[in-house]
């Protein structure tokens, strides 16, 4: 069986799911390893660095008196969060839960899991951190071979999937116990971790008085404040049909932009079908609907990350209904469907510019 892995975030260190139109992050530090770059004293205080965490190179760039301290601290924080939550690291808190070598999680991990529970409920289960046994069976995140599980195998695996298959009990000393009711249930916060980490990076920048920053964690972009010339950041959203290009640009400040798309990671199987890394928790199969990508634009990184995954699972019409009816969450979005139409919510309609030939429809 021939499998093709397409994960441009791994293969091209500087390729971004969202292209940054007005700032070239390729000029940002080194591609790996973490050497930073700083302006000489007295010049615009700018500092940038690329760190490797969460399986991708992450570009951090900030301007301000404490730019260096802020970026260095953010880089360490990203690696710390990775070591806490990585599903592929048996020593992480999530890794230990899944291997049943530990059942205690810190207050911070509890926050991420509780947020995941909340977003799972709000999205009617489309976001589901217990989908991991299914994700693994298809070969995603295992580092092994991609494969198409049989229907019987999927049916069996789905019996271990469900947000009701674990309970959390806070122990009072900033930790909690996780108890699984099913021996094979596992957790994977991978679809929200980068967003959570983005929130932390933003907070760290804030604590260092940084009012202009731009970071890229794969499909997660953080914009802080405006550019130093006073204009807004213009972030380009990847063309899912041609991922080396972008198809729409959005002008923003102080926003998190998170894109989920099948083009980010997939394999082509012998049956001629392209199987992607985002699973429909109802079917136990890779999402195969009318959407090519979902971009969420929000004030909250973790929410944006979970929502981009969940609304991708839901499909175009259900995602639009969700945006119209969900009163608990405030966000804008760009959906790109399989015939190339871009659906842009009204809040960002005026600040979005199509850069190709795809038609745009405004959602009110
Ligand atoms: P993202 O790139 O944020 O959309 O997250 C996708 C990753 O989250 C996948 O690579 C899986 O590890 C995991 N995942 C896949 N499907 C789901 C789902 N329906 N809910 C939560 N996590 C998922
Ligand atoms: Mg996500």
């Amino acid at each position: 069986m021939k499998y093709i892995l397409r994960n441009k975030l791994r293969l091209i260190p500087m390729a971004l799911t969202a292209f940054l139109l007005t700032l070239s992050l390729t000029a940002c530090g080194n591609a790996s390893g973490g050497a930073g770059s700083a302006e000489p004293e007295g010049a615009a205080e700018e500092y940038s660095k690329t760190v490797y965490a969460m399986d991708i190179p992450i570009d951090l760039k900030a301007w301000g008196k404490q730019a260096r301290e802020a970026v260095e601290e953010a880089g360490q924080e990203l690696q710390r969060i990775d070591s806490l939550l990585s599903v592929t690291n048996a020593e992480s808190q999530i890794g230990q839960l899944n291997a049943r070598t530990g059942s205690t999680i810190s207050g911070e991990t509890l926050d991420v899991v509780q947020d995941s529970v909340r977003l799972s409920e709000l999205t009617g289960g489309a976001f589901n951190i217990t989908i991991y046994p299914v994700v693994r069976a298809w070969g995603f995140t295992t580092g092994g071979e991609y494969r198409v599980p049989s229907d019987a195998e999927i049916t069996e695996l789905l019996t271990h999937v469900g947000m009701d298959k674990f309970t959390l009990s806070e122990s009072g000393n900033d930790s909690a116990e996780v108890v699984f009711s099913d021996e094979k249930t596992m957790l994977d916060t991978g679809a929200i971790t980068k967003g959570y980490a983005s929130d932390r990076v933003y907070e760290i920048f804030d604590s260092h008085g940084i009012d202009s920053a731009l970071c890229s964690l794969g499909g997660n972009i953080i914009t802080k404040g405006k550019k130093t010339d006073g204009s807004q950041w213009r972030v380009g959203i990847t063309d899912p049909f041609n991922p080396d290009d972008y198809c729409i640009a959005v002008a923003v400040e102080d926003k998190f932009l998170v894109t989920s798309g099948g083009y980010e990671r997939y394999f082509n199987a012998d049956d001629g079908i392209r199987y992607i890394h985002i699973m429909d928790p109802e079917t136990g199969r890779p999402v195969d609907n009318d959407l090519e990508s979902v971009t969420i634009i929000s004030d909250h990184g973790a929410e944006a990350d979970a929502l981009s995954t969940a609304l991708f699972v839901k499909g175009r019409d259900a995602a639009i209904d969700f945006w119209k009816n969900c009163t608990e969450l405030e966000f804008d979005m760009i959906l790109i469907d399989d015939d190339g139409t871009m659906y842009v919510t009204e809040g960002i309609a005026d600040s979005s510019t199509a850069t190709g030939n795809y038609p745009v429809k405004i959602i009110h």
Side-chain angles (χ1 to χ4, degrees), residues 127 190-193 195 220 258-260 278 302-310:
F127 181 75
I192 191 172
T193 298
N220 292 51
V258 185
T259 299
S260 287
I278 301 172
E303 262 176 35
D305 198 355
L307 278 178
S308 71
T309 309

Side-chain angles (χ1 to χ4, degrees), residues 3 6 42 52 61 74 100 136 140 158 182 188 200 215 237 263 265 284 286 290 309 314 332 343:
Y3 295 107
R6 174 68 196 256
Y52 194 83
K61 191 161 191 162
R100 304 296 192 263
R136 258 184 17 152
F140 293 104
L158 282 175
D182 181 308
D188 170 17
R200 286 290 304 131
C215 305
I237 308 304
Y263 62 86
R265 214 180 316 151
D290 52 6
T309 309
K314 281 182 178 286
D332 276 294
Y343 295 80

Side-chain angles (χ1 to χ4, degrees), residues 18-342:
F19 292 78
L20 302 154
L21 302 185
T22 51
L23 178 83
S24 167
L25 281 191
T26 51
C28 177
N30 293 339
S32 63
S37 64
E39 294 292 322
E41 200 128 350
E45 286 153 288
E46 169 192 329
Y47 189 77
S48 61
K49 182 169 187 170
T50 301
V51 296
Y52 194 83
M54 300 161 193
D55 290 333
I56 51 162
I58 295 174
D59 299 313
L60 306 166
K61 191 161 191 162
W63 288 260
K65 282 201 175 64
Q66 294 179 29
R68 177 190 288 269
E69 294 90 330
V71 166
E72 291 293 339
E73 191 178 327
Q76 283 167 16
E77 180 69 351
L78 289 166
Q79 279 157 348
R80 190 189 65 80
I81 292 169
D82 195 15
S83 66
L84 203 63
L85 300 176
S86 168
V87 75
T88 52
N89 172 3
E91 301 302 315
S92 78
Q93 291 186 7
I94 296 293
Q96 289 187 34
L97 290 180
N98 291 345
R100 304 296 192 263
T101 53
S103 60
T104 306
I105 56 173
S106 60
E108 185 180 10
T109 302
L110 176 65
D111 284 347
V112 177
V113 174
Q114 280 179 329
D115 220 17
S116 301
V117 171
R118 177 178 71 98
L119 286 152
S120 187
E121 284 167 359
L122 285 172
T123 61
F127 181 75
N128 189 327
I129 57 168
T130 66
I131 196 68
Y132 191 55
V134 173
V135 171
R136 258 184 17 152
W138 288 85
F140 293 104
T141 77
T142 58
E145 206 178 67
Y146 291 99
R147 54 189 282 273
V148 180
S150 68
D151 290 350
E153 186 179 351
I154 292 170
T155 303
E156 197 281 326
L157 286 169
L158 282 175
T159 65
H160 312 298
V161 172
M163 296 295 284
D164 57 346
K165 300 204 180 292
F166 69 94
T167 53
L168 302 165
S169 53
E170 288 180 59
S171 53
N173 52 350
D174 200 30
S175 67
E177 290 296 306
V178 181
V179 178
F180 291 101
S181 61
D182 181 308
E183 198 34 54
K184 291 187 181 161
T185 299
M186 291 191 262
L187 304 186
D188 170 17
T189 59
I192 191 172
T193 298
K194 291 193 195 83
Y196 169 72
S198 301
D199 286 326
R200 286 290 304 131
V201 168
Y202 189 97
E203 283 165 21
I204 288 169
F205 285 177
D206 225 26
S207 73
H208 284 281
I210 302 295
D211 46 27
S212 182
L214 179 62
C215 305
S216 166
L217 299 76
N220 292 51
I221 302 291
I222 308 168
T223 63
K224 182 144 185 14
K226 294 181 182 173
K227 290 163 63 186
T228 49
D229 66 5
S231 63
Q232 289 187 309
W233 303 104
R234 288 189 75 224
V235 178
I237 308 304
T238 297
D239 177 351
F241 301 99
N242 180 19
D244 293 328
D245 207 347
Y246 52 86
C247 54
I248 186 164
V250 201
V252 288
E253 62 191 80
D254 281 317
K255 293 287 178 198
F256 298 86
L257 297 94
V258 185
T259 299
S260 287
Y263 62 86
E264 289 179 310
R265 214 180 316 151
Y266 64 85
F267 66 92
N268 292 309
D270 276 355
D271 55 14
I273 299 176
R274 182 178 89 154
Y275 294 103
I276 69 163
H277 65 123
I278 301 172
M279 301 287 150
D280 183 339
E282 275 184 17
T283 63
R285 297 180 161 276
V287 171
D288 178 20
N289 60 25
D290 52 6
L291 282 177
E292 296 294 326
S293 79
V294 173
T295 299
I296 305 293
I297 296 134
S298 160
D299 292 343
H300 308 285
E303 262 176 35
D305 198 355
L307 278 178
S308 71
T309 309
L311 298 195
F312 187 83
V313 171
K314 281 182 178 286
R316 186 191 61 202
D317 293 345
I320 292 172
D321 283 349
F322 184 88
W323 180 82
K324 289 183 176 178
N325 297 316
C326 179
T327 50
E328 291 90 343
L329 305 168
E330 204 163 305
F331 64 98
D332 276 294
M333 66 180 186
I334 299 172
L335 310 177
I336 304 179
D337 78 2
D338 54 5
D339 56 45
T341 304
M342 302 192 287

